[in-house]
Amino acid sequence: MTDPARMHAISHETTAIVEDVLDYARRRALYEDIPLDKPLNPRDLARLAPNTITDRGIGARRAAALFENVLAPACLSTDHPGYLSFIPSAPSKAAVAFDVIVSASSVYGGSWLEGAGVVYAENEVLHWLASEFGLPEGSGGVFVQGGTIGNLSALVAARDAARRRNRVAEVADPDRWVVVCSAEAHSSIASAASVMDVEIVTAAPDADGRLHGDAVAAALDAHGDAVFAVVATGGTTNFGIVDDIASIASVTTERGVWLHVDGAYGLAAMLVERMRPTFEGVEFADSLIVDPHKWLFAPFDACALIYRDPAGARLAHTQHAEYLDTLTDSADWNPSDLAIQLTRRARGLPLWFSLATHGTAQYRATIDHGIRLARRIADEIEARDGFSLVRDPQLSVVVFRRDGWTLADYQAWSDRLLDDQVGFVVPRAHAGEPVLRFAIISQLTTYEKLIEILDTMV
């Protein structure tokens, strides 16, 4: 007969499981030569790792061996120095190690009552970030899963604020609410609009891809009080472009419209003093996001969502039920009241531990490394015959072309690069043209590694 307590009891079996898993975690965290790896098709995975879920179990040793030798190598390592597609993740060793503690501690991060210590630590990070971004004292927020949830939660709070304002003024809500953003805005803004059943109005950016206040003003003129929020981007995923946030903020402040800044990737660059003028105007945001699992060197998944006035967010997001009265009737800081979530992992703790361990000066220097390296490799690309930049890098994304190459050429090269385990760089489209893009996040990504990749294109 199966012992009901078997999985949870401290026994020789469970002790061995924990030790084996922690041994693997230690080896993976301390790899000096991080494997890039590559995906397998479903048929091969079914052949190599068949029937793992059974009535009696396959045992921890076999399950761990399958993960280490079959499943993990079928996943790309986003912390590999040659992983340069999308936005890589390069968590610090301190953050990776502490993520294990977060899971092992079984702490709940949704309420102050149950997780005061972890909420306090997360809030220290959020308040530091708010200060760095120029937001006033009293600003605060919550760590959520990622930029999509962060943007959605902020826009829900913005619409709720507009509705409440209309109730006070005894004004009817529009037939359909509108959010204004750039045509270059991240896809998560359109996703949020779809979930909320509101309309997206895209304002045209300039030739460099930057949205300006005059385009926003024109959109507000056209759609009037139906607009409940304007979204500015602090570093687009495709190019790392920062909108003219100052001119946009001037318009939203004058019109009394909520300003949200999507800085999921790029806003971390504000930690570098010389980059701050690029983000002028962020200090006027009503809400903003930045993803620590991108350029703040935390593991997946974490998005810092920060509000100028968290009280408004609580009105929009606090869930009410008899079983929650103990939490919602108190004045405590409950992270679950600030976004679309109730149950939440204390996902901000790995960043807190890494910051507390290394200090903010180290973070500034590491982010600056990516910006300087992007400029250096952009200069090299411009100097090479047969190569050209699509646009000068503003942050740490470099977009370029191999003159005369077709999409098929790019794809064949990209496949070879991955097969040879040199790097992961996938072709992208810009204005109908196939191009390539380096997204530089990790300090382990060196100039020599980028040169090695460029040399494969000669």
Side-chain angles (χ1 to χ4, degrees), residues 107-147:
V107 291
Y108 173 65
S111 72
W112 185 271
L113 176 65
E114 296 158 285
V118 301
V119 174
Y120 176 86
E122 287 185 321
N123 282 350
E124 187 173 9
V125 178
L126 291 164
H127 293 154
W128 171 69
L129 287 172
S131 176
E132 290 290 318
F133 300 148
L135 295 179
E137 187 175 350
S139 301
V142 58
F143 288 97
V144 295
Q145 175 188 346

Side-chain angles (χ1 to χ4, degrees), residues 86-87 184 186 235-241 265 391 397-399 428-431 435-439:
F86 310 111
I87 299 292
E184 298 282 342
H186 191 268
T236 60
T237 301
N238 239 7
F239 283 94
I241 296 167
Y265 151 61
R391 181 174 288 145
V397 171
V398 182
V399 183
R428 304 182 72 128
H430 170 64
V435 295
L436 291 176
R437 170 182 169 279
F438 288 161

Side-chain angles (χ1 to χ4, degrees), residues 109 122-123 126 140-144 153 303-307 333-341 344:
E122 287 185 321
N123 282 350
L126 291 164
V142 58
F143 288 97
V144 295
S153 297
C303 165
L305 165 60
I306 303 175
Y307 299 97
W333 187 286
N334 297 318
S336 59
D337 294 341
L338 298 172
I340 299 171
Q341 58 187 4
R344 72 174 291 273

Side-chain angles (χ1 to χ4, degrees), residues 268-338:
M270 276 193 76
L271 299 182
V272 179
E273 183 67 32
R274 64 187 174 83
M275 296 301 299
R276 292 195 175 189
T278 303
F279 296 88
E280 184 181 353
V282 166
E283 65 273 18
F284 298 110
D286 294 288
S287 59
L288 58 81
I289 66 163
V290 61
D291 285 359
H293 63 231
K294 292 186 171 75
W295 218 358
L296 288 174
F297 317 114
F300 293 116
D301 50 19
C303 165
L305 165 60
I306 303 175
Y307 299 97
R308 170 178 292 273
D309 179 11
R314 290 191 191 95
L315 292 173
H317 289 294
T318 299
Q319 297 186 32
H320 298 278
E322 290 180 352
Y323 51 84
L324 296 174
D325 287 348
T326 300
L327 304 178
T328 57
D329 288 346
S330 74
D332 295 333
W333 187 286
N334 297 318
S336 59
D337 294 341
L338 298 172

Side-chain angles (χ1 to χ4, degrees), residues 181-248:
C181 65
S182 168
E184 298 282 342
H186 191 268
S187 58
S188 62
I189 304 301
S191 175
S194 177
V195 170
M196 296 171 67
D197 193 25
V198 301
E199 184 179 350
I200 280 279
V201 169
T202 56
D206 66 13
D208 290 327
R210 300 182 74 207
L211 181 64
H212 294 268
D214 54 356
V216 170
L220 294 179
D221 288 341
H223 296 276
D225 292 338
V227 179
F228 69 91
V230 172
V231 179
T233 303
T236 60
T237 301
N238 239 7
F239 283 94
I241 296 167
V242 180
D243 286 339
D244 181 5
I245 301 173
S247 69
I248 296 170

